[in-house]
Amino acid sequence: MAKGELQVEPGSNTVESKGLKGGALGLLSSVVVGMASTAPAYSLAATLGLIVASGGALLAGVKAPAIILLSFIPMYMIAVAYQELNKAEPDCGTTFTWASRAFGPLVGWMGGWGIIAADVIVMANLAQIAGSYSFTFVGGLGWTSVADLASSTLWSTVAGVIWIIVMTYICYRGIEVSARIQYGLLAIELVVLVVFSIIALFKVYTRTAESYSLMPSISWFWPAGLDFSTVIAPAVLTAIFIYWGWDTAVACNEESDDPGTTPGRAAVISTFLLLATYALVSVAAIAFAGTGTEGIGLGNEENAADAFAAIGPDLFGDSLLGKIGLMLLAASILTSASASTQTTILPTARTTLSMGVYKALPESFAKIHRNYLTPTTSTIMMGLVSILFYVLFTLVSPNLLSALIGSVGLMIAFYYGLTGFACVWFYRKDLTKSARDFMMRGVVPLLGGVILLVVFIYGLIQYAKPDWLTDDDGNNVTILGFGAVAVVGIGALALGLVMMVIWWLMSPDFFRGRTLSRRSSADLVLAPPTAVDPMFGLPDSGDMPTVIAPDLSNLPPGETAVNPETGEEFTKEHQP
């Protein structure tokens, strides 16, 4: 083991936790990390055009705000599932741990892989945006020759790789450093987005905007007239991308001041704040730019990769203030993409940390830095693998980077939906205890999971069509004859199955339930020898608790069983 690293074993008597720095994040910090992870400015710039149109034809059109609103519904439902599961087991493995508890190691491992795959895939797109906007921002400061490098695939890739390295180091350096940086980065992009929206709407309502500008209408928030299978499902999968990331607040649960409560609250609060932000900006952008297929119109396929870059010059103009506005807009996209690069590394490193602790991955992933109290191998590997796939995707085709957003949407729908189902199954024996439990631990998570499953299936069908994504020359972007978006998404899941089988053959303990067993909220566990709050099988709780049969038949003489959900104790003289 390298100097300065700590190896954590599940069930160890000498290590009380995974080694992460507890108490480092409060509610505000958790909300900031959750919102920054979604990268509001970058997400809107990269996806708004794809929601409005696809393949050279309108998709949702002016109904894009309705798609954003519809996408919020399953996001809120899954945020509730995260909140409820986190109350029972605040483990940084999140979906991996909870799905393993509910459905067993095979489903749990794939849930963890879904997180890893989504984060690695999106890093390529994030790095590309951060790299190109670095040159755009510097060019806006007066170094015009540098601005031309933004259109260079080579130099944008080099800059993107540098961004990944820098953000990997920051994540390695400590969660508090990461959180402090997020405060500044998030503030910049939110302020710029609000100013952008105010100026756009002011020009529209004062009729000083463009001839193709549109007057906002409440009907934009209602999806009437949109076909579910060909428009709503694929558009929602794309829109889900802009909400994705709030779960980082939950992935950092073991580093919060109240692991069982604060992360869940932060996740729910983040989704509502994001809804308000996205509703405002999407209406402002559509009203000013319109949905035309030419010029700055959001229906123009050339604007799909970056809607703000197309709108900015017309919105701010050529005056000094206009140039400052354009520079700030570029700064908001740059800070957004770089912030999300950082906060994409955070949850992935903690997922693989948890998988390493439970031996679902090599034990080296469980190493923690003694001074920084952050995952070492997990963080470094996330950075290296992200660089590898970023370069690989770029070499295959720069146009493939646009396909990644839809592919990530498939991954998100997969593991978010799985979390919803895991919540229902984990609490299945307690759903009738109260109306609140029935709704918040049963109905709401189940609906969220079902919605995402349906959207996943219908969206996949559309993404698999050869003409779903085209390049600059109008050629279809395909892999093996199928749409590249579907192939990358399904290919990532298939790769996960292969990796799981390989690791199962090499190290079967996790897959045999020896390190992370199935359990429900109603199961009793053997009371710990010391006075600590009982919770399900976290390495943080010391010894892995022994599951006690409902009839107490396997309860050792003189010992006590406890219900982790209620804290009620049972002995053989006091039958449940």
Side-chain angles (χ1 to χ4, degrees):
M1 186 184 306
K3 182 179 179 181
E5 290 180 331
L6 173 66
Q7 183 79 33
V8 185
E9 296 277 357
S12 169
N13 292 321
T14 59
V15 180
E16 296 181 355
S17 73
K18 294 188 186 74
L20 297 171
K21 188 170 185 177
L25 301 176
L27 179 60
L28 179 59
S29 296
S30 296
V31 170
V32 168
V33 168
M35 286 194 68
S37 297
T38 66
Y42 153 74
S43 297
L44 283 169
T47 61
L48 186 56
L50 297 175
I51 298 173
V52 171
S54 179
L58 286 182
L59 191 62
V62 295
K63 300 282 188 176
I67 297 298
I68 290 174
L69 181 59
L70 282 177
S71 303
F72 166 77
I73 296 173
M75 288 299 96
Y76 167 73
M77 292 176 170
I78 300 304
V80 169
Y82 268 77
Q83 183 179 40
E84 295 303 315
L85 286 168
N86 189 69
K87 290 177 181 177
E89 186 160 9
D91 187 284
C92 64
T94 59
T95 300
F96 155 72
T97 306
W98 302 330
S100 296
R101 292 296 192 201
F103 302 124
L106 298 181
V107 178
W109 199 97
M110 285 304 298
W113 176 261
I115 298 175
I116 296 170
D119 288 345
V120 169
I121 291 173
V122 80
M123 282 291 281
N125 199 287
L126 286 169
Q128 179 69 13
I129 293 291
S132 62
Y133 265 92
S134 297
F135 297 120
T136 301
F137 179 71
V138 173
L141 296 176
W143 198 350
T144 54
S145 59
V146 174
D148 296 335
L149 296 178
S151 58
S152 168
T153 300
L154 172 62
W155 287 108
S156 292
T157 302
V158 171
V161 168
I162 293 174
W163 271 112
I164 293 177
I165 294 173
V166 170
M167 291 306 174
T168 300
Y169 173 74
I170 292 174
C171 292
Y172 182 90
R173 187 63 177 78
I175 186 66
E176 288 177 316
V177 175
S178 299
R180 285 196 296 268
I181 291 175
Q182 292 304 319
Y183 273 97
L185 297 180
L186 181 63
I188 291 172
E189 61 179 303
L190 288 182
V191 168
V192 173
L193 286 177
V194 171
V195 171
F196 170 91
S197 301
I198 291 174
I199 294 175
L201 290 175
F202 176 80
K203 288 191 173 184
V204 169
Y205 279 107
T206 58
R207 309 210 181 258
T208 57
E210 307 298 330
S211 59
Y212 40 76
S213 296
L214 305 171
M215 192 62 65
S217 170
I218 193 67
S219 65
W220 291 4
F221 288 96
W222 186 249
L226 299 180
D227 181 74
F228 179 81
S229 61
T230 60
V231 177
I232 293 179
V236 165
L237 270 180
T238 302
I240 283 174
F241 176 82
I242 68 177
Y243 286 102
W244 176 52
W246 50 261
D247 53 308
T248 300
V250 186
C252 297
N253 47 21
E254 296 183 45
E255 293 150 286
S256 70
D257 55 1
D258 185 354
T261 303
T262 296
R265 288 178 178 172
V268 174
I269 292 172
S270 295
T271 58
F272 278 100
L273 293 176
L274 289 169
L275 172 63
T277 302
Y278 294 150
L280 173 64
V281 179
S282 63
V283 169
I286 292 173
F288 183 82
T291 58
T293 56
E294 297 180 357
I296 69 169
L298 294 179
N300 187 341
E301 195 171 9
E302 294 181 358
N303 302 332
D306 190 348
F308 291 157
I311 299 173
D314 282 39
L315 178 64
F316 293 111
D318 296 326
S319 66
L320 177 60
L321 289 177
K323 292 180 179 179
I324 293 176
L326 281 174
M327 187 178 68
L328 290 176
L329 185 61
S332 72
I333 306 296
L334 174 59
T335 57
S336 181
S338 58
S340 190
T341 301
Q342 177 188 343
T343 49
T344 298
I345 297 170
L346 284 174
T348 313
R350 279 144 186 80
T351 296
T352 53
L353 166 68
S354 184
M355 294 178 77
V357 167
Y358 291 116
K359 299 183 179 180
L361 286 178
E363 293 181 44
S364 59
F365 283 90
K367 292 178 180 178
I368 293 289
H369 197 282
R370 289 187 181 274
N371 297 326
Y372 302 149
L373 302 181
T374 56
T376 53
T377 302
S378 291
T379 301
I380 294 172
M381 283 301 296
M382 175 58 185
L384 291 176
V385 172
S386 296
I387 292 173
L388 174 64
F389 275 88
Y390 172 36
V391 174
L392 177 62
F393 284 134
T394 303
L395 290 175
V396 171
S397 172
N399 292 299
L400 189 57
L401 295 176
S402 298
L404 299 182
I405 292 177
S407 303
V408 171
L410 292 172
M411 296 293 99
I412 298 167
F414 168 72
Y415 84 83
Y416 273 4
L418 179 60
T419 306
F421 292 130
C423 182
V424 178
W425 194 248
F426 181 80
Y427 284 110
R428 66 189 183 279
K429 298 179 181 179
D430 296 324
L431 294 180
T432 57
K433 284 187 175 181
S434 68
R436 191 263 178 204
D437 286 350
F438 181 75
M439 288 299 299
M440 303 302 281
R441 295 178 173 179
V443 175
V444 172
L446 179 61
L447 285 176
V450 169
I451 291 173
L452 291 177
L453 175 61
V454 172
V455 168
F456 179 94
I457 294 172
Y458 278 95
L460 179 61
I461 293 172
Q462 296 302 313
Y463 286 163
K465 293 180 178 179
D467 60 349
W468 179 259
L469 183 70
T470 57
D471 59 21
D472 296 337
D473 297 323
N475 300 316
N476 297 336
V477 181
T478 62
I479 299 177
L480 302 176
F482 295 95
V485 178
V487 174
V488 172
I490 296 303
L493 288 176
L495 177 61
L497 287 173
V498 174
M499 297 291 289
M500 181 178 69
V501 171
I502 293 174
W503 183 244
W504 190 351
L505 295 174
M506 294 177 61
S507 180
D509 284 353
F510 167 76
F511 298 99
R512 292 176 179 174
R514 295 172 180 170
T515 60
L516 187 62
S517 59
R518 291 184 65 176
R519 202 166 296 159
S520 77
S521 61
D523 288 329
L524 303 177
V525 298
L526 185 65
T530 57
V532 299
D533 293 332
M535 63 177 65
F536 286 124
L538 282 172
D540 305 52
S541 61
D543 289 338
M544 294 287 286
T546 302
V547 180
I548 303 300
D551 61 0
L552 306 183
S553 57
N554 64 331
L555 182 65
E559 297 289 350
T560 301
V562 61
N563 186 325
E565 180 72 11
T566 64
E568 185 178 4
E569 296 182 348
F570 301 91
T571 63
K572 285 194 174 181
E573 291 74 30
H574 175 203
Q575 295 289 336

